[in-house]
Amino acid sequence: MSTPPVVRVVEREALVYARLWRGLAFSTFVQPALYLAAMGLGLGGLVKAHTGSVAGLSYLDFIAPGLLCASATQLAAGESMWPVLGGVKWMRQFHGVVATPIGPGELYSGFVLWTAIRSMLGAIAFLVVAAILGAVPSAWGILAVPAAGLCSAAFCAVLAAYSIRLDSDLSFPMIMRLGILPLFLFSGTFFPINQLPSGLRPFAALSPLWHGVELARAATTGQFHAGAIATHIAVLVGCIAVGAYFGVRNFAWRLSS
Amino acid sequence: MTMPVVAARSLTKRFGAFVAVDGIDFEIAPGEAFGFLGPNGAGKTSTMRMIGCVSPRTSGELRVLGLDPAESGADIRGRIGVVPQEDNLDTELTVWDNLMIYGRYFDLPRADIRERAAELLEFVQLSDRRDSKVDPLSGGMKRRLTIARSLINRPEALLLDEPTTGLDPQARHLLWDRLYQLKRSGVTLVLTTHYMDEAEQLCDRLVIMDNAKIVAEGPPRKLIADSVTREVVEVRLPLDADTAFEAARLKRFGDRTEPLADRVLVYTDDGDATMHAAVDEGFGADSMFVRRASLEDVFLILTGRTLED
């Protein structure tokens, strides 16, 4: 019985995580829950006093899936930049991997898969806290976990494909500030995108995070249209496909030169 | 006739316009310790990466374990071991976890990896460090762990790229001793080095590379005997001396001379006689001593440069 190479890559990442998880627990589990409590309950109270609801939902219900996917995106972005450059340039473990039967494309795929799994672990913990706070009205809510996974994989697939080509990490802080942070704030996470100036709305709809949030929100609230769900999934899968097309090539190119 | 472990014909590697390996030919027999000796940038690492099936060849023929790396890269990689020039261990993990993870890359069952890992740690004398993190280990220990890791799949051939570069003499000797043990157990060793003493110690046969080409091939002693005299007199001169001029003056005491920056090498079959003749004639030098000819001299004579330029 042989184990597929991609799974063997995931095994390595999982073991590293199992050894180091304590140091990572705060950012993965505690921080999103704090956000939810502060904004959902605190800010949500104000919202309720003034407008009553947001897009027909209590603010807590609205923001929970937003924070869920926003956390997944942040984790994916962080994992797809410094650790990728570290693997090829600083610590060089990637070179050790491709000296074995594992190929560069399998290393890439395993890396993206693991990032998605890690995001889903975080999503499960977050959902439990959200459910306790009463922010998951629907039993479909459990499907927000794969939604977060897809969202995470979309970001990881594209960013890892980019990072592997670099020689320095100079561009990473800028990507975080000018790319990930605006997406984090304006992708329908904290307020509906129809609050944006009309000229900006189409851009928000291009954000993979918005599609992830809409999927997760459909799950946690149980309110959805099949057509919209299909579109959101198609966009995220499309991002993964484009990322993978370049990722497999770029990993092979970088690790063989 | 046994099949060579590695066979290359007109093997070439280009990066854009840069030619890293320029049409080299060689064969490595099973059980042999084979070396690529040459200065940095000669094309040794590029050659190793092609043999290790991580870097595709640009042109020419290459067979490793009888297979074509372009078609059977993963199969070949599963049957060889690689010790890279720069350590790429998982430094935040323990010695033991590094071996377990690497074994899984080869899809070995965990029970087998545990058994093998314990044996290998014994072999590289790291058993007492199995639960320590990699980061605080010394350079020599990390190298030994990298060697243990490369053996986890019981490879038929072990590729070592500059295995002792950056190690102190004691760590080097311990490493050479382990490699010698491996060789005796029948593992084919393929190594690159720019240390001529390493090449002489470990290699049954070697090629000398310079500027992407092979300039000589043979067993170390034979290479020396074929292109150099038996002994060399090293004549150290004052800093302001014109070594080319002094070399011409020293020529009549030996077979040939090589001027270097601060000294002249006089090649001769009888070093003592040459040295005494020069001293008797009143040749002024800071110091003179006789040594056996080495691969360094072979390289110098073939290329006009020293190995560690």
Side-chain angles (χ1 to χ4, degrees), chain B residues 285-304:
Chain B
D286 279 2
S287 71
M288 279 192 216
F289 67 90
V290 180
R291 62 168 174 81
R292 277 163 61 111
S294 72
L295 287 169
E296 179 84 47
D297 300 300
V298 178
F299 187 79
L300 185 63
I301 285 168
L302 290 174
T303 69

Side-chain angles (χ1 to χ4, degrees), chain B:
Chain B
M1 209 195 108
T2 54
M3 185 181 67
V5 173
V6 185
R9 214 175 57 228
S10 305
L11 182 60
T12 301
K13 179 76 190 183
R14 278 192 216 101
F15 297 100
F18 175 72
V19 184
V21 178
D22 191 2
I24 63 173
D25 303 89
F26 59 89
E27 277 196 3
I28 303 171
E32 192 173 31
F34 186 90
F36 293 90
L37 175 70
N40 293 325
K44 308 185 303 283
T45 297
S46 294
T47 305
M48 284 296 245
R49 288 168 60 77
M50 287 191 279
I51 299 173
C53 309
V54 290
S55 172
R57 65 185 184 269
T58 307
S59 63
E61 286 296 307
L62 180 64
R63 292 290 178 275
V64 183
L65 303 170
L67 302 169
D68 183 346
E71 283 154 18
S72 316
D75 290 341
I76 297 169
R77 293 196 302 268
R79 291 168 58 191
I80 61 176
V82 176
V83 177
Q85 192 168 343
E86 291 174 68
D87 288 321
N88 52 37
L89 298 159
D90 268 312
T91 49
E92 70 266 23
L93 294 179
T94 63
V95 167
W96 183 257
D97 282 346
N98 265 275
L99 295 176
M100 291 304 293
I101 282 173
Y102 219 67
R104 287 299 298 146
Y105 288 153
F106 291 90
D107 204 17
L108 305 172
R110 285 193 180 72
D112 288 7
I113 304 172
R114 276 192 285 271
E115 189 183 323
R116 181 79 176 141
E119 271 170 41
L120 288 170
L121 287 182
E122 196 66 36
F123 175 69
V124 298
Q125 301 172 17
L126 284 174
S127 297
D128 55 334
R129 302 304 292 265
R130 59 173 271 171
D131 296 320
S132 101
K133 289 246 165 73
V134 167
D135 206 31
L137 298 184
S138 72
M141 287 177 176
K142 283 182 186 154
R143 283 277 77 189
R144 270 143 55 203
L145 176 57
T146 304
I147 289 178
R149 191 184 72 165
S150 72
L151 295 168
I152 198 87
N153 59 327
R154 300 177 195 276
E156 293 161 59
L158 186 61
L159 312 183
L160 304 118
D161 195 3
E162 302 276 355
T164 67
T165 297
L167 298 187
D168 62 61
Q170 200 188 349
R172 290 180 81 194
H173 281 279
L174 180 54
L175 211 72
W176 285 349
D177 176 63
R178 297 295 87 187
L179 295 179
Y180 194 71
Q181 287 287 326
L182 278 178
K183 189 188 142 186
R184 290 213 314 190
S185 70
V187 178
T188 306
L189 299 183
V190 183
L191 65 122
T192 74
T193 182
H194 65 274
Y195 296 123
M196 51 121 189
D197 51 346
E198 185 159 278
E200 283 192 56
Q201 286 261 352
L202 290 174
C203 297
D204 299 319
R205 203 158 58 83
L206 56 87
V207 291
I208 297 179
M209 286 189 80
D210 186 44
N211 281 329
K213 289 195 164 79
I214 289 175
V215 293
E217 180 267 318
R221 292 315 315 171
K222 185 167 184 304
L223 276 173
I224 296 166
D226 286 356
S227 42
V228 197
T229 55
R230 215 163 59 81
E231 295 183 326
V232 184
V233 181
E234 290 215 13
V235 182
R236 286 197 179 272
L237 296 167
L239 276 177
D240 58 348
D242 177 350
T243 54
F245 176 76
E246 300 298 338
R249 284 181 62 209
L250 283 160
K251 184 113 176 82
R252 62 200 173 89
F253 300 114
D255 291 1
R256 60 180 292 171
T257 55
E258 281 289 342
L260 299 177
D262 59 340
R263 64 209 145 110
V264 175
L265 306 181
V266 184
Y267 293 99
T268 170
D269 281 323
D270 187 342
D272 280 334
T274 297
M275 191 166 76
H276 285 129
V279 170
D280 288 348
E281 299 227 356
F283 190 88
D286 279 2
S287 71
M288 279 192 216
F289 67 90
V290 180
R291 62 168 174 81
R292 277 163 61 111
S294 72
L295 287 169
E296 179 84 47
D297 300 300
V298 178
F299 187 79
L300 185 63
I301 285 168
L302 290 174
T303 69
R305 290 180 295 113
T306 56
L307 268 173
E308 293 179 45
D309 275 351

